[in-house]
Amino acid sequence: MPVLKQGSSGPDVTNLQQKLKALGFDPNGVDGNFGPGTRKAVIAFQQSKGLQADGIAGPATLAALDGASASDGGTDEANTDSAAGGATAAVGDDAATNTEPTPVISSATSALNLAGLAGHLPAAVIAQIPETAAEFGITTNLRLAHFLAQCALESTGFTATVENLNYRAARLMQVFPKYFRGVDTAAYANNPEKIGNRVYANRMGNGSEASGDGFKFRGRGYIQLTGKNNYTSFSTFVGEDCVANPDLVATKYPLASAAFYFNSNKIWAICDRGADDATVTRVTKAVNGGTTGLPERLKNFKEFIGALS
């Protein structure tokens, strides 16, 4: 029996979507692609059956779906699917009850003291944490404090979600010297699109300067997801085409894309080493490549770990 999760596609997903829809759990379309809508529908169904609400359609969930489809009701299951993955999302009861959706809090993230963050983070950022934490294994307050400390610095206090490439000629030689040696910087000055297309050309999966990929796939999100290859990998993970619509990273997935970076670069293991300055420094080097802004990152970490404790 297959295990279906976000990013899966094909006839098995189509069948899954049809069953969910017939039972009143709308997957937001029956197209054979397991995206966010299908995941939320799976979570809603799992919750209604007492299954682990992880958004992964494994053997127990698929068996429960088959039983529910056959009897238009089914029985509760005590089994769980894969322990991997998981997401918190708004879910509802059976369609027949027509009640308002209620949030499902993953057991993996229930230990996070999100209430303590009020007043320390914008409400819009706090609202993104449960699903992001469940999806990317942010299971402790220590991990969350390290993560938020880095995001806060990289995004100027969670205010910037798109890379600013508006540089004067002199500044271009300071920030991107290797890309402007022997080049008339005046032709690029204060033109973000031209600058992005030059400095990100022919790397990270981008095409030539003329392709426009550099500016199209410039940094977005709270930790600046950059380059076509990274946008492609992130799209596969979240099940939504951020290559065709890169602005989704900035508008819908600013926190999730940052967590994807931590996950891909195995930074959680560094976070787990402790709450001392040395660990914050190690995390900073993994994120920044150096120690730029370290004093502020340390300050951020102390604020967040204090709020979460």
Side-chain angles (χ1 to χ4, degrees), residues 3-9 13 16-17 27 32-43 54-58 84-89 131 135-136 233-242 252-253 256 260:
V3 173
L4 306 175
K5 59 184 179 180
Q6 193 154 312
S8 299
S9 62
V13 175
L16 169 68
Q17 291 169 328
N33 295 310
F34 198 126
T38 301
R39 185 184 65 188
K40 289 180 180 179
V42 170
I43 290 172
D54 60 4
I56 298 172
T88 301
E131 186 168 359
E135 193 76 42
F136 293 98
S233 297
F234 182 66
S235 296
T236 300
F237 191 92
V238 298
E240 192 159 4
D241 194 350
C242 297
K252 186 175 181 179
Y253 299 113
F260 178 77

Side-chain angles (χ1 to χ4, degrees), residues 66-115:
D66 288 339
S69 299
S71 63
D72 196 29
T75 59
D76 289 348
E77 295 282 347
N79 297 325
T80 61
D81 295 329
S82 167
T88 301
V91 299
D93 298 325
D94 285 343
T97 66
N98 196 30
T99 59
E100 289 296 316
T102 55
V104 176
I105 304 299
S106 166
S107 59
T109 61
S110 60
L112 301 179
N113 180 24
L114 300 186

Side-chain angles (χ1 to χ4, degrees), residues 16-185:
L16 169 68
Q17 291 169 328
Q18 289 172 337
K19 290 178 179 178
L20 287 167
K21 187 172 183 179
L23 291 169
F25 301 96
D26 185 11
N28 195 28
V30 178
D31 59 4
N33 295 310
F34 198 126
T38 301
R39 185 184 65 188
K40 289 180 180 179
V42 170
I43 290 172
F45 173 77
Q46 290 170 325
Q47 182 73 1
S48 75
K49 295 298 179 185
L51 294 164
Q52 178 177 326
D54 60 4
I56 298 172
T61 295
L62 294 174
L65 267 172
D66 288 339
S69 299
S71 63
D72 196 29
T75 59
D76 289 348
E77 295 282 347
N79 297 325
T80 61
D81 295 329
S82 167
T88 301
V91 299
D93 298 325
D94 285 343
T97 66
N98 196 30
T99 59
E100 289 296 316
T102 55
V104 176
I105 304 299
S106 166
S107 59
T109 61
S110 60
L112 301 179
N113 180 24
L114 300 186
L117 293 172
H120 297 273
L121 282 178
V125 176
I126 296 174
Q128 297 174 59
I129 292 175
E131 186 168 359
T132 299
E135 193 76 42
F136 293 98
I138 308 175
T139 54
T140 66
N141 289 315
L142 178 62
R143 286 189 176 188
L144 183 58
H146 277 296
F147 176 59
L148 294 175
Q150 298 296 324
C151 287
L153 186 286
E154 296 288 336
S155 65
T156 316
F158 298 97
T159 62
T161 58
V162 181
E163 182 178 10
N164 179 8
L165 288 167
N166 189 19
Y167 293 100
R168 292 176 289 106
R171 185 64 176 151
L172 283 174
M173 288 304 299
Q174 295 173 342
V175 179
F176 304 112
K178 67 181 288 187
Y179 300 106
F180 288 97
R181 290 193 183 98
V183 175
D184 180 12
T185 54

Side-chain angles (χ1 to χ4, degrees), residues 296-307:
E296 187 174 350
R297 295 174 202 262
L298 288 164
K299 178 177 176 290
N300 290 342
F301 175 76
K302 289 171 184 175
E303 177 184 352
F304 293 133
I305 196 66

